[in-house]
Amino acid sequence: MSDLDDALSDIAAIKAQVDRTASFRGFGPAVLLLTAGLAGLGGVMQPYFVAPGAGAVEAYLVFWGAIAMVAVTVIAVSSVVRARLAHGARSRSMMLRVLWLFAPALIAGATLGLAISVAVPETFWLLPGVWQVVLSLGIFAALPALPNSMGLVAAWYLLSGVSATLFGRADIPSPWLMMIPFMVGQTLAAFVFFLDSKRSDGE
């Protein structure tokens, strides 16, 4: 039995190594484009939901938080379905790996948003830049499980986040500071995964 146990252990180690080195193909280009559209819709609708004055901080957080939750939910549901088709029995371990790598950025983004709104609400104009930089760090952290070209998306969010921090000071952050960066970033991500799927189909 020891030989059999050794063989099974070797097979499990090989599968784990494959999971660690393979790119996750559960993100669909169409869904990523949909989230780009959500960002565009959010930019258009922000002036109707976030008005200057008392409650602006809370309204801003709720408005963009709701859009983020819809985007994350749509991506998550789609990813579960696509991962099963793309990775088969390995889909669960692949999804958990991506989640493990990326989850700290999601938690940090939400926590920073709440902390700023409660402790220093007068600086909530920083939120668009902070969220984009945190997202950039999350993508960089998850790169071992993603196509290499996603580094370009991470770099875009880092650049847009720093730019929003430098030039975005206002009573209420301009809708453009969320609309343009996320429309461009999500569209670029969709293009990366589209090319990756074509490359995988050709192998």
Side-chain angles (χ1 to χ4, degrees):
M1 289 295 292
S2 61
D3 290 341
L4 178 59
D5 291 339
D6 289 342
L8 292 175
S9 178
D10 290 341
I11 292 172
I14 292 171
K15 290 177 63 178
Q17 179 63 26
V18 170
D19 289 347
R20 284 194 297 269
T21 57
S23 292
F24 181 68
R25 300 200 303 272
F27 296 119
V31 171
L32 293 172
L33 283 177
L34 175 61
T35 61
L38 283 174
L41 179 63
V44 171
M45 298 303 294
Q46 177 183 311
Y48 299 98
F49 287 87
V50 184
V57 178
E58 293 79 5
Y60 189 85
L61 282 174
V62 170
F63 178 73
W64 284 107
I67 291 176
M69 286 298 297
V70 171
V72 169
T73 301
V74 170
I75 290 174
V77 172
S78 171
S79 296
V80 170
V81 176
R82 287 180 59 88
R84 287 175 179 170
L85 295 175
H87 300 293
R90 295 160 48 214
S91 62
R92 184 173 180 273
S93 62
M94 296 287 287
M95 286 187 291
L96 287 176
R97 179 172 179 244
V98 173
L99 182 61
W100 179 260
L101 293 170
F102 193 75
L106 289 178
I107 296 171
T111 303
L112 283 170
L114 290 174
I116 288 175
S117 67
V118 172
V120 280
E122 66 276 8
T123 65
F124 91 108
W125 56 270
L126 290 168
L127 284 178
V130 168
W131 283 334
Q132 290 161 47
V133 170
V134 170
L135 177 58
S136 168
L137 296 177
I139 297 173
F140 275 126
L143 276 181
L146 300 174
N148 291 333
S149 298
M150 281 297 291
L152 296 175
V153 180
W156 162 258
Y157 279 122
L158 179 60
L159 177 63
S160 66
V162 171
S163 298
T165 302
L166 291 175
F167 304 112
R169 184 157 191 165
D171 292 337
I172 296 178
S174 168
W176 297 99
L177 295 180
M178 291 290 285
M179 179 179 179
I180 298 301
F182 283 95
M183 287 186 70
V184 173
Q186 295 305 96
T187 300
L188 181 57
F191 185 65
V192 167
F193 278 98
F194 173 76
L195 293 181
D196 185 67
S197 66
K198 290 297 183 182
R199 184 163 45 250
S200 299
D201 291 342
E203 293 178 351

